[in-house]
Amino acid sequence: MPQINSTMMQYFHWYIDPDLILWNDVKNKAQELADAGFTALWLPPAYKGTAGGYDVGYGVYDMYDLGEFDQKGTIRTKYGDRQQYLDAIQALQKQGLQVYADTVLNHRLGGDESEVAKATPFSNHNRLHPQGEQREINAYTHFNFSARQGKHSDFEWHWWHFDAVDYDDYSKEQNTIYLFDGKKFDDYVALEKGNFAYLMGCDVDFQSQEVREEITRWGEWYLDTTGVDGFRIDAVKHISAWFFPQWLDQLKEYVGKDLFAVGEYWDDDITSLHWYLDTVENKMSLIDVPLHFNFHRASKSGGDYDMRRILDGTLMQERPTQAVTFVENHDSQPLQALESPVEPWFKPLAYALILLRGEGYPCVFYADYYGAEYEDKGRDGNDYKIVIPSHRWLIDKFLYARQNLAYGPQYDYFDDQNVIGWTRLGDTEHPKGLAVVMSNGSGGSKWMEVGKPNSKFYDLTEQIKEPVYTNEEGWAEFPCEGGSVSVWIQD
């Protein structure tokens, strides 16, 4: 489980080059990442997707194939093969890093054979009222994994293991969801579209005991095989919330240790996140989507955004021990389905907010750390070339401050629309002070207490060259430049 001042990295982005062999890359960087101050890595889905070696991992085909079998046109996955994955995990854990496996339980895609079954059509936009009579459909719902020949698991998926699909080979209609005979959409899910259990592909039926038992068997196999320390769970708003306390308890009992779990409930409404955490009995954390959207809006608004409100309505503020804070991820990056990027100028401010405060478990995005360049089509159908600049130099500075200075009491100075700051006073083992000040407008300063009388402070970001000296009561005027952040640390 994460300790105080733990920091994870999401070690991939949507457009990672398949030729990189990500598993080898991260294995080779294990010590470098640990030395930088990371304590955990969230690795991408490691199992075979329907697009084989090009699948990012969310188009799940076979969760038992970690790059071992010739399926969907490849043996390896986008990130490498099974042994490379296991070697990477071992190398990371040897350096003291925890490893979290990206886990996509909601759906399956790329069935091996079609099956005829009765189903009722629903509009993609309204899951409460049918838009026609029940009829026979032909859907690719039989997953037999013939190349695997029962190795690791002899379980085969059929139509009765799913709630619904979005494709009928008879009618080939668009924007239609087909609910199978005798089924209902999962309960305790998000209420968008009336019921948001269905997301894509063959929607896994969590109300089926046979399915739940298989998913638990897979979880036990995965922990035995990989030795990961926890899970990042995809698309939890589409899965019956009551399933996860049962599942996580069973897996923890199986391995005899705590497992960290963080769910992706993509919703900007803090009320929904509170409901979900209560429903899962606080047995997982959630990514702090409202905080990400605050960063997104602030970066678009410049000096018009009220920085006093930057943490309002967030898990970081209201449920800090269960908040996984982030600036950007693979879904929000430019040209992706949930595109809501944080502008580059604001990212240093955002990373200071998640890395140098006491609340939340921060996650650094691979593309923000290493930079990224890629091309894809936008929503308008046009081609775009995207460049995400690297903020590694500053993030490394923040990680140093987080590991060595961001301890003890935290005093906030969120009393100006454009210039905010806070201080950390240190503790017995980390006695030095820290002051952070940032502005989304013109430059400014904050009169703040750091509890270190008659002490010299310098700007870790090197933007301001002149040092600052505290008075006999441990207060000083800490400046920053416009549209930037300065991190003042005790000399």
Side-chain angles (χ1 to χ4, degrees), residues 476-490:
E477 188 86 15
F478 294 98
C480 71
E481 295 183 347
S484 72
V485 56
S486 285
V487 178
W488 295 90
I489 66 173
Q490 190 175 353

Side-chain angles (χ1 to χ4, degrees), residues 382-442:
N382 293 323
D383 292 321
Y384 291 92
K385 182 175 182 179
I386 300 296
V387 177
I388 299 177
S390 167
H391 295 277
R392 179 176 179 174
W393 187 84
L394 267 181
I395 290 172
D396 280 343
K397 297 282 189 183
F398 296 164
L399 287 169
Y400 168 82
R402 179 172 177 80
Q403 291 296 312
N404 296 283
L405 299 155
Y407 296 88
Q410 177 174 284
Y411 295 167
D412 287 342
Y413 300 85
F414 284 38
D415 53 2
D416 183 89
Q417 177 171 326
N418 299 121
V419 183
I420 62 169
W422 66 92
T423 60
R424 304 294 301 274
L425 273 59
D427 59 19
T428 303
E429 295 182 10
H430 311 87
K432 291 191 174 183
L434 168 74
V436 182
V437 60
M438 62 180 62
S439 172
N440 68 345
S442 57

Side-chain angles (χ1 to χ4, degrees), residues 82-387:
R82 171 189 162 109
Q83 193 58 52
Q84 290 166 336
Y85 178 54
L86 300 181
D87 289 347
I89 293 170
Q90 189 174 48
L92 292 166
Q93 292 175 332
K94 186 177 179 180
Q95 295 297 327
L97 289 146
Q98 290 199 328
V99 178
Y100 306 142
D102 205 323
T103 309
V104 188
L105 303 177
N106 177 73
H107 51 266
R108 300 289 184 274
L109 293 124
D112 300 300
E113 296 178 3
S114 66
E115 298 177 310
V116 175
K118 292 181 178 179
T120 302
F122 285 76
S123 165
N124 188 36
H125 306 293
N126 185 338
R127 315 294 175 71
L128 296 181
H129 305 290
Q131 66 172 12
E133 297 297 319
Q134 187 182 91
R135 62 177 187 259
E136 283 193 344
I137 68 167
N138 190 20
Y140 283 85
T141 49
H142 184 195
F143 293 72
N144 58 35
F145 314 117
S146 57
R148 188 155 50 79
Q149 297 185 334
K151 187 176 181 181
H152 307 315
S153 171
D154 60 4
F155 186 88
E156 295 186 12
W157 294 82
H158 293 277
W159 71 262
W160 54 86
H161 297 124
F162 304 110
D163 292 334
V165 294
D166 62 357
Y167 178 75
D168 169 23
D169 204 39
Y170 289 154
S171 68
K172 296 181 171 59
E173 292 177 350
Q174 302 293 314
N175 298 313
T176 302
I177 309 301
Y178 300 95
L179 182 68
F180 286 119
D181 183 34
K183 299 289 187 177
K184 59 181 181 179
F185 293 114
D186 282 344
D187 56 2
Y188 286 82
V189 297
L191 298 180
E192 298 162 57
K193 305 184 182 185
N195 176 299
F196 213 1
Y198 185 85
L199 176 63
M200 66 174 69
C202 301
D203 187 65
V204 174
D205 179 12
F206 283 87
Q207 295 173 101
S208 162
Q209 183 175 343
E210 190 178 3
V211 165
R212 296 196 301 272
E213 290 173 352
E214 164 59 15
I215 290 176
T216 299
R217 282 194 299 271
W218 171 82
E220 293 171 351
W221 171 84
Y222 201 89
L223 290 168
D224 277 341
T225 302
T226 67
V228 294
D229 303 286
F231 299 101
R232 179 266 183 189
I233 308 171
D234 185 66
V236 296
K237 68 191 281 187
H238 308 284
I239 300 170
S240 294
W242 48 259
F243 168 74
F244 287 108
Q246 302 171 14
W247 188 65
L248 291 169
D249 282 348
Q250 287 174 293
L251 294 185
K252 288 177 184 179
E253 183 178 353
Y254 180 76
V255 294
K257 66 175 183 178
D258 281 336
L259 295 168
F260 177 74
V262 54
E264 179 225 13
Y265 193 114
W266 195 267
D267 197 323
D268 192 16
D269 178 12
I270 190 67
T271 305
S272 298
L273 304 190
H274 282 307
W275 167 82
Y276 189 82
L277 288 169
D278 290 341
T279 304
V280 298
E281 303 170 15
N282 301 310
K283 292 186 176 178
M284 69 167 71
S285 298
L286 290 179
I287 64 169
D288 197 345
V289 177
L291 180 66
H292 160 74
F293 275 101
N294 282 2
F295 292 157
H296 168 68
R297 288 186 285 264
S299 76
K300 296 288 188 180
S301 302
D304 292 332
Y305 188 88
D306 188 346
M307 290 292 287
R308 294 170 294 188
R309 308 274 81 86
I310 192 69
L311 302 181
D312 286 2
T314 67
L315 287 174
M316 186 178 186
Q317 183 182 74
E318 299 186 19
R319 215 140 173 174
T321 60
Q322 290 170 283
V324 170
T325 55
F326 73 106
V327 177
E328 198 90 87
N329 73 8
H330 63 291
D331 285 322
S332 69
Q333 72 180 100
L335 305 184
Q336 269 309 292
L338 300 173
E339 179 178 3
S340 49
V342 177
E343 295 298 321
W345 75 271
F346 193 80
K347 283 186 175 178
L349 285 69
Y351 274 108
L353 279 158
I354 69 171
L355 290 172
L356 299 179
R357 295 181 60 79
E359 312 92 344
Y361 184 2
C363 181
V364 174
F365 184 39
Y366 179 102
D368 287 339
Y369 193 71
Y370 293 109
E373 295 186 20
Y374 56 90
E375 296 180 10
D376 201 357
K377 290 188 181 297
R379 295 176 186 174
D380 57 7
N382 293 323
D383 292 321
Y384 291 92
K385 182 175 182 179
I386 300 296
V387 177

Side-chain angles (χ1 to χ4, degrees), residues 34-55:
D35 290 345
F38 292 104
T39 59
L41 290 194
W42 153 22
L43 298 182
Y47 27 80
K48 192 67 58 70
T50 189
Y54 295 97
D55 201 296

